[in-house]
Amino acid sequence: MRYVSTRGAAPDLDFADVLLAGLARDGGLYVPDTWPTIAPDALRRFAGLPYADVATEIMWPFVEGSIDRELFGTIVAESYATFDHPDVTPLRDLGGGVHLLELFHGPTLAFKDLALQLVGRLFDHELTHRSSTVTIVGATSGDTGSAAIEACRDRDTVEIFILHPFGRVSDVQRRQMTTVLSANVHNIAVEGTFDDCQDLVKLLFADEMFRDRVRLSAVNSINWARVMAQIVYYAVASSRLGGGLGQPVAFSVPTGNFGNVFAGYGAQRMGVPISQYIVGSNRNDILTRFLATGLMRTEGVEPSLSPSMDIQVSSNFERLLFEITGRSGATVSERMLAFRSDGELALGGEHHALLQEQWSGARIDDEQTLTVIREVYERTGELVDPHTAVGLAAGEQCRRDPTIPLVSLATAHPAKFPDAVEKATGVRPGLPARLHDLFTREERFVVLPNDLAAVRDYIDTHRR
Ligand SMILES: *Cc1c(COP(=O)(O)O)cnc(C)c1O
């Protein structure tokens, strides 16, 4: 498989190069040059197969030419063996044709493990093959950091430094990162906000000498391999709900950077019957405003009960823009440059109408989020986390056809956000068995000032 940039001005690459490159050189995002297809009989067959087998089959055309098939199957199997549910992504029937797709059974209790457990192993494989190493630096407001650390721990090819805002992430989130004592894992608590952490990372990437010296890399959500891994569970959910017999499904997805829901779009392009995409936002509702009006305009970010969706810009939207403009790199490039300079992106009537055929969105505020958590608990006995609740509420508001099953994505385990869940229900969700001793484990992190030189020096002196 070859990959092309959404801005049309970077060289085509194969999977292994796209994996390590992340962003394309023209500032665009890589997408496959054609969408492979899943035949209806394959979708029927998937309903009875283990998750890892389905995943290997679906992803194979995307990686073919870069890795040996048997080895790829082994890597995929190892990635999903870290999940503590035999189905990996179980479906739970909530009644009324609504199903929860539980994506939180991985090591760090959020859906990011589905992609990062695989991406960490693929990085390691490719770097070993090239006799190379990288230094991964990332900023986190919570979920990404722990998932990336779990994916990279104890790998000889990777040194990972994660910046989090000192005192501003939850205790569960911090401990999931800081109790990993592996020699290649470095947690930096920055005396500042999440935005400060992100700015520091951007400055480190802009420092060419530093970038080359440490072979700087990232595993952020624009990496194609993450999207690829996420396509799998849309096909798995569909196969279990009759997709192989042509039964369509609607998906509701609590959305931040748009990586997760774009994977659903990819599944549809491959042949999975999907009738509707519902994008759930919290008060940071750039996407839902955009879907309603066709005009994307940034505003400041405000904290909410679903912090992993507190975003200003949804980077992966560029991939959908590329598809709905008929894969025109020139159009995407022009729109994205205008967006960068004016903070505004206008879609144009025709493309907006095209988008609205299948896409809708709802903004769910904190109060509605708590109400939904309480309602679901009272009706079904299930505790859902605030991100999941945003998806459920948006699904209820935007669902067009009640005869079509609605799958709402459960992106985090309730124990990751125990305060909100307790506030809504009076019940404090407990951590799963694998993390029962999280609060007595030893922590290790360094506190640094919000200062580029301090962070750079720390990385220079602490990587092996
Ligand atoms: C990252 C995250 C999201 C947002 O996903 P995107 O792919 O960025 O749209 C939603 N919920 C949880 C719990 C997350 O960790």
Side-chain angles (χ1 to χ4, degrees):
M1 176 69 75
R2 303 296 296 177
Y3 290 84
V4 296
S5 165
T6 49
R7 300 200 189 172
D12 296 6
L13 298 180
D14 72 1
F15 177 78
D17 286 330
V18 163
L19 173 75
L20 296 181
L23 205 65
R25 249 190 275 161
D26 59 2
L29 276 53
Y30 277 108
V31 288
D33 74 354
T34 52
W35 291 100
T37 51
I38 304 170
D41 72 307
L43 210 49
R44 275 197 295 280
R45 202 162 34 80
F46 289 166
L49 290 182
Y51 187 93
D53 294 358
V54 178
T56 304
E57 201 169 321
I58 289 178
M59 291 188 284
W60 176 247
F62 292 117
V63 303
E64 192 173 4
S66 290
I67 187 171
D68 169 73
R69 169 121 196 184
E70 200 173 319
L71 180 62
F72 182 63
T74 305
I75 290 176
V76 171
E78 282 172 9
S79 302
Y80 299 112
T82 64
F83 283 61
D84 67 4
H85 193 288
D87 290 345
V88 180
T89 59
L91 265 181
R92 194 177 286 272
D93 190 345
L94 290 186
V98 178
H99 304 260
L100 262 191
L101 183 62
E102 294 184 353
L103 303 176
F104 53 71
H105 293 281
T108 72
L109 314 182
F111 87 93
K112 296 192 169 65
D113 289 328
L114 266 304
L116 283 168
Q117 280 297 307
L118 177 68
V119 169
R121 285 173 173 79
L122 291 173
F123 251 71
D124 196 37
H125 163 73
E126 191 53 36
L127 290 167
T128 305
H129 179 69
R130 297 182 185 201
S131 305
S132 185
T133 59
V134 291
T135 302
I136 289 175
V137 179
T140 189
S141 57
D143 295 339
T144 311
S146 57
I149 285 172
E150 269 312 317
C152 296
R153 62 186 296 173
D154 303 317
R155 302 196 184 284
D156 291 337
T157 51
V158 175
E159 206 70 24
I160 181 166
F161 293 81
I162 295 292
L163 280 57
H164 73 264
F166 183 47
R168 291 174 197 243
V169 298
S170 78
D171 290 348
V172 175
Q173 289 180 320
R174 188 192 68 249
R175 286 187 156 271
Q176 281 186 309
M177 299 190 281
T178 58
T179 60
V180 177
L181 304 180
S182 308
N184 70 327
V185 171
H186 312 270
N187 279 288
I188 300 176
V190 173
E191 291 172 321
T193 64
F194 170 60
D195 288 334
D196 294 330
C197 295
Q198 239 177 349
D199 288 343
L200 286 166
V201 172
K202 278 187 200 146
L203 289 170
L204 289 170
F205 272 87
D207 179 342
E208 259 173 64
M209 266 171 44
F210 175 79
R211 201 170 65 198
D212 293 345
R213 183 164 72 238
V214 306
R215 284 178 302 281
L216 197 57
S217 185
V219 287
N220 46 26
S221 82
I222 52 98
N223 194 301
W224 164 256
R226 286 182 61 176
V227 176
M228 171 187 80
Q230 292 167 180
I231 289 174
V232 175
Y233 48 77
Y234 286 89
V236 166
S238 158
S239 76
R240 294 193 193 139
L241 294 170
L245 303 168
Q247 167 68 53
V249 175
F251 282 98
S252 183
V253 186
T255 296
N257 245 325
F258 209 77
N260 197 359
V261 72
F262 181 77
Y265 174 85
Q268 186 186 24
R269 291 298 299 265
M270 295 176 75
V272 176
I274 295 174
S275 61
Q276 192 189 356
Y277 304 96
I278 300 164
V279 171
S281 310
N282 60 31
R283 65 199 298 177
N284 301 292
D285 62 348
I286 179 168
L287 278 170
T288 47
R289 280 184 284 119
F290 170 69
L291 289 170
T293 63
L295 183 70
M296 188 176 290
R297 187 163 44 210
T298 53
E299 285 175 5
V301 181
E302 286 176 52
S304 77
L305 287 179
S306 41
S308 297
M309 292 153 48
D310 292 346
I311 47 99
Q312 196 173 9
V313 178
S314 299
S315 330
N316 273 291
F317 178 75
E318 182 166 341
R319 289 191 160 106
L320 185 62
L321 185 64
F322 182 64
E323 300 288 354
I324 57 177
T325 56
R327 299 202 139 209
S328 165
T331 308
V332 171
S333 184
E334 177 219 313
R335 299 280 161 85
M336 293 312 296
L337 290 178
F339 185 53
R340 172 147 272 205
S341 60
D342 317 335
E344 266 188 22
L345 185 157
L347 197 55
E350 195 185 322
H351 292 139
H352 184 222
L354 197 64
L355 190 66
Q356 281 190 321
E357 283 177 14
Q358 283 205 304
W359 293 77
S360 25
R363 165 200 163 112
I364 309 298
D365 65 21
D366 281 354
E367 205 175 311
Q368 289 168 288
T369 304
L370 291 171
T371 304
V372 169
I373 298 175
R374 183 166 49 245
E375 272 173 12
V376 172
Y377 180 63
E378 283 169 359
R379 193 161 51 82
T380 69
E382 288 296 319
L383 294 174
V384 296
D385 102 286
H387 303 78
T388 304
V390 166
L392 279 167
E396 198 173 305
Q397 271 185 32
C398 300
R399 190 180 185 189
R400 285 182 192 154
D401 183 346
T403 67
I404 293 178
L406 173 70
V407 176
S408 204
L409 271 49
T411 50
H413 190 286
K416 248 191 139 154
F417 301 94
D419 296 337
V421 177
E422 186 174 19
K423 190 170 172 199
T425 63
V427 181
R428 196 162 180 88
L431 286 163
R434 63 174 14 159
L435 288 170
H436 75 279
D437 62 343
L438 185 67
F439 279 86
T440 54
R441 291 182 194 167
E442 181 188 344
E443 282 191 85
R444 193 176 67 201
F445 63 97
V446 62
V447 182
L448 293 181
N450 175 19
D451 175 66
L452 178 64
V455 174
R456 192 176 47 208
D457 289 350
Y458 186 84
I459 295 173
D460 268 326
T461 49
H462 287 80
R463 68 197 181 90
R464 295 170 299 178

